[in-house]
Amino acid sequence: ASVEVAARARASGVQSAWQVGFEPQPDLIRAFAAAKIPLKEILVKPAKDALQPEATVFAAQAYFEKLLAKGASALPDLLYFSDDYVCQGALLALARHGIEAPRDVKVATWSNRGNGPYYFKPLARVELAPQEDGRRLAENLLNWLSTHARLGGVLIATTYAQGETS
């Protein structure tokens, strides 16, 4: 799905992008390099002793509040969030500063299908379907346990869903 995010960014005229999350995203880095779009990685981590997911939302919100205190001109054309809770915190800070997606900055995010993050418009997102994928894996394992038949391949893959924010 990283290739689709980069292709959509290129098609919509993005000249600069940030990947914001907990850790580097090598697939996204390669996809943006191939699309010839500079991608800066911003790592936002909650306090080690803090509980997830609230701490993640608050850490991202604090990071973007501090950044936006310098002005919206510090933002790139596209923000890609590799964590949905990081996205939620950033969206709160952006909204507080009157910055809207996609009017002021394009936004795409990671999302577990049907589980946010939520915004005023449907977000462009890379989705995983954890409940459906888990069900398929469990059925495959239960079949193997009862029949000892060869395990079938279960593909766990992300998909790109074009929202209104990129």
Side-chain angles (χ1 to χ4, degrees):
S2 295
V3 172
E4 289 93 342
V5 173
R8 174 65 186 151
R10 172 57 54 216
S12 65
V14 167
Q15 298 294 312
S16 61
W18 292 356
Q19 183 282 124
V20 186
F22 294 133
E23 58 193 13
Q25 300 293 311
D27 289 347
L28 194 72
I29 293 167
R30 284 190 294 276
F32 272 74
K36 298 185 177 16
I37 300 172
L39 179 71
K40 179 180 178 181
E41 292 209 299
I42 307 292
L43 302 182
V44 176
K45 297 193 181 216
K48 288 182 181 182
D49 60 344
L51 296 174
Q52 299 274 358
E54 285 178 338
T56 304
V57 172
F58 292 141
Q61 183 179 6
Y63 176 87
F64 275 85
E65 289 284 355
K66 184 176 178 181
L67 175 77
L68 293 170
K70 299 174 186 174
S73 62
L75 292 172
D77 297 331
L78 170 71
L79 294 169
Y80 174 78
F81 298 97
S82 59
D83 179 83
D84 46 357
Y85 295 115
V86 171
C87 180
Q88 192 63 53
L91 289 174
L92 288 168
L94 292 170
R96 183 188 310 244
H97 288 266
I99 298 168
E100 293 181 29
R103 184 191 72 197
D104 303 309
V105 63
K106 295 177 187 325
V107 171
T109 188
W110 167 269
S111 176
N112 289 324
R113 189 170 298 144
N115 192 27
Y118 302 102
Y119 189 60
F120 306 110
K121 301 174 182 180
L123 291 165
R125 61 208 175 277
V126 173
E127 290 185 326
L128 184 67
Q131 291 86 2
E132 180 181 328
D133 293 339
R135 180 190 52 75
R136 289 185 6 244
L137 285 169
E139 286 173 355
N140 197 3
L141 181 58
L142 289 171
N143 182 51
W144 177 79
L145 288 171
S146 65
T147 66
H148 294 292
R150 184 168 182 255
L151 283 172
V154 176
L155 178 64
I156 305 291
T158 58
T159 58
Y160 179 69
Q162 180 58 48
E164 298 178 23
T165 58
S166 72

